[in-house]
Amino acid sequence: MKRGSDRIFTTHAGRLDGPPDLMEMTREVQAGRMDMDALRPRVRSAIVEVIQAQAQAGIDVVSDGELGKVGFGNIAYYKRRFSGLSTKKVNPGEPQSMALHTGERIEFADFYQAEMAWMSAMVKERPICNGSVSFIGRSEVAEDIAFLKDGLAQAKVEVEDAFLCVLAPGWLEHFFYNEHYATDEEYVFALAEAAREEYKAIVDAGLILQVDDPALPDTYDMIVPTPSIEEYRKFAAVRVEAMNHALRGIPQGRVRYHICWGSWHGPHTHDLPLKHVVDLMLEVNAGAYSVEAANPRHEHEWKIWKEVKLPAGKILIPGVVSHATNVVEHPELVADRILRYANLVGRENVIAGTDCGLGARVHPQIAMAKLKALAEGAALASQELWGHSAHAD
């Protein structure tokens, strides 16, 4: 995994919106009015465009924008990749997923009723695991890899590296209720074993693997009633062990591990403080750790790095622009955020990133403005850290 030797590199958390026509076509597929096969050619060409847009904004380590992940996180998407998944009717009063029954949603019931009424009206089925999990998505991941590599070749832009995002076993677990395995631990390890094949294919193709794991801090509030910190750490430690089971034999230097507290726009008052899981995060066998660091619920947590030591050879990717606001951060503020981390963990150990995926969370025009501010802020920070100007074109 590349890092800047004379400047701060920039990246983001993965998800970006594609061109307007692709977004409309994607909605048609999700509504069942268009076949996925009809969408693929436009996905392929749109990936070229989104790579070019990232490079023009000044991003060094780019992704495919997750443009091919139509319905990412829902049953239709994952049934093409894993066996053993199905759905059943949602009973009255039963949540469709763990994420829809949390301490925060109980406290702010009026807000979430207003915000999520559309989802309640649409959701009729609960995704479940009702059989043995195995990986069946070889053609799917091969297509993801081919589309990104072809996009990089056709975009004709200079970037430092490229990554693909895949979900962690612990986050997959929360999407599909276990109705097959004797224990949840057995279930999450089965997911890890299956996900491993996708992880390995991405790394073997020469790309960076980003494992998205909001579950590490975020599942805390999905357990009702709320567990003690000690109880939750035991729960989370099992998921970290499963994560490393999936990553076994994969070079750490090719892996980025991303955590966040969910990308929805809500109060986040029930978020578990980073200090309670930062040591568990650092146990994951990854070369880089991507964390939220810009939104107003977590920006103060830069202070924990005064006490927590980043392991030798590892990279920290703090989010220095946020998906949680339409306000475009000033480059000087971005630079200040970067400098906090660089001064604590070493300038050579920082890549500047985003809190979470910008796609579907802010308007695409705002997302690109945020990426441009990210690059400009990184250039300002680099000038202060190395004493010379750095590109931000």
Side-chain angles (χ1 to χ4, degrees):
M1 193 180 308
K2 295 181 180 179
R3 67 180 80 199
S5 59
D6 62 353
R7 65 182 179 88
I8 298 290
F9 280 0
T10 56
T11 189
H12 60 94
R15 185 176 180 180
L16 297 169
D17 289 320
D21 66 304
L22 175 68
M23 295 170 67
E24 179 58 35
M25 292 171 72
T26 298
R27 286 190 284 269
E28 291 293 298
V29 171
Q30 291 174 319
R33 295 187 292 266
M34 179 184 289
D35 188 85
M36 185 65 192
D37 289 339
L39 183 66
R40 284 189 173 89
R42 185 59 183 117
V43 169
R44 191 167 206 149
S45 61
I47 288 173
V48 178
E49 296 173 40
V50 82
I51 290 171
Q52 290 172 332
Q54 290 169 76
Q56 288 165 7
I59 300 304
D60 296 301
V61 185
V62 303
S63 81
D64 62 351
E66 302 184 48
L67 300 188
K69 290 180 167 60
V70 177
F72 189 35
N74 69 23
I75 189 69
Y77 178 87
Y78 278 101
K79 281 183 76 172
R80 299 195 299 268
R81 300 192 180 228
F82 297 98
S83 67
L85 304 180
S86 187
T87 60
K88 72 174 189 180
K89 184 179 178 180
V90 177
N91 297 318
E94 185 179 60
Q96 181 259 358
S97 75
M98 288 178 66
L100 298 181
H101 182 60
T102 69
E104 182 172 299
R105 280 167 170 75
I106 293 170
E107 179 182 355
F108 293 93
D110 292 348
F111 166 77
Y112 281 106
Q113 177 61 32
E115 291 291 306
M116 309 299 285
W118 63 271
M119 181 177 288
S120 299
M122 290 177 58
V123 171
K124 304 297 183 184
E125 295 184 323
R126 165 187 267 203
I128 59 172
C129 170
N130 63 351
S132 297
V133 174
S134 63
F135 189 71
I136 58 172
R138 294 171 189 85
S139 62
E140 300 283 335
V141 67
E143 181 175 271
D144 292 342
I145 291 166
F147 280 16
L148 177 53
K149 295 184 84 168
D150 289 351
L152 290 165
Q154 294 177 42
K156 295 181 171 58
V157 293
E158 291 187 14
V159 297
E160 296 293 342
D161 224 328
F163 66 97
L164 280 174
C165 297
V166 184
L167 297 188
W171 196 231
L172 284 170
E173 177 189 20
H174 104 285
F175 283 115
F176 313 107
Y177 284 91
N178 173 29
E179 296 192 359
H180 174 74
Y181 290 92
T183 67
D184 287 343
E185 182 172 345
E186 184 182 350
Y187 175 41
V188 76
F189 271 84
L191 289 169
E193 186 62 31
R196 170 179 163 73
E197 188 167 343
E198 187 166 16
Y199 297 176
K200 192 171 185 303
I202 291 168
V203 172
D204 287 349
L207 299 169
I208 296 292
L209 167 68
Q210 177 171 300
V211 184
D212 292 330
D213 195 9
L216 182 67
D218 204 29
T219 306
Y220 171 75
D221 192 39
M222 298 180 194
I223 302 173
V224 180
T226 305
S228 68
I229 298 300
E230 182 180 359
E231 289 170 337
Y232 185 71
R233 281 179 54 82
K234 290 178 181 177
F235 171 93
V238 172
R239 276 73 193 163
V240 168
E241 187 179 348
M243 181 74 261
N244 285 336
H245 179 77
L247 290 172
R248 69 189 187 281
I250 296 175
Q252 293 186 21
R254 304 301 295 169
V255 180
R256 299 173 14 163
Y257 181 68
H258 170 70
I259 68 167
C260 67
W261 285 263
S263 55
W264 78 95
H265 292 183
H268 286 271
T269 54
H270 287 239
D271 286 2
L272 181 70
L274 178 61
K275 65 182 180 181
H276 294 309
V277 291
V278 65
D279 59 325
L280 295 174
M281 178 186 78
L282 295 175
E283 288 180 12
V284 172
N285 293 329
Y289 304 97
S290 166
V291 299
E292 288 198 58
N295 80 58
R297 195 68 195 179
H298 294 281
E299 184 172 2
H300 67 285
E301 292 180 323
W302 65 271
K303 297 172 187 175
I304 72 171
W305 298 99
K306 293 179 179 180
E307 307 297 332
V308 176
K309 184 173 177 56
L310 184 69
K314 300 300 181 77
I315 295 171
L316 190 63
I317 308 176
V320 292
V321 298
S322 183
H323 64 290
T325 175
N326 287 326
V327 175
V328 177
E329 293 83 352
H330 194 285
E332 289 189 18
L333 172 62
V334 173
D336 287 345
R337 289 170 172 167
I338 293 170
L339 290 168
R340 289 174 184 166
Y341 285 90
N343 290 330
L344 287 170
V345 304
R347 63 186 185 182
E348 70 282 1
N349 299 322
V350 173
I351 294 177
T354 63
D355 275 348
C356 197
L358 299 172
R361 296 303 173 188
V362 296
H363 188 277
Q365 193 172 28
I366 291 175
M368 285 301 136
K370 282 177 174 282
L371 293 184
K372 188 171 185 291
L374 169 59
E376 291 174 348
L380 291 174
S382 297
Q383 185 170 4
E384 183 159 339
L385 290 166
W386 277 275
H388 61 77
S389 61
H391 79 268
D393 300 326

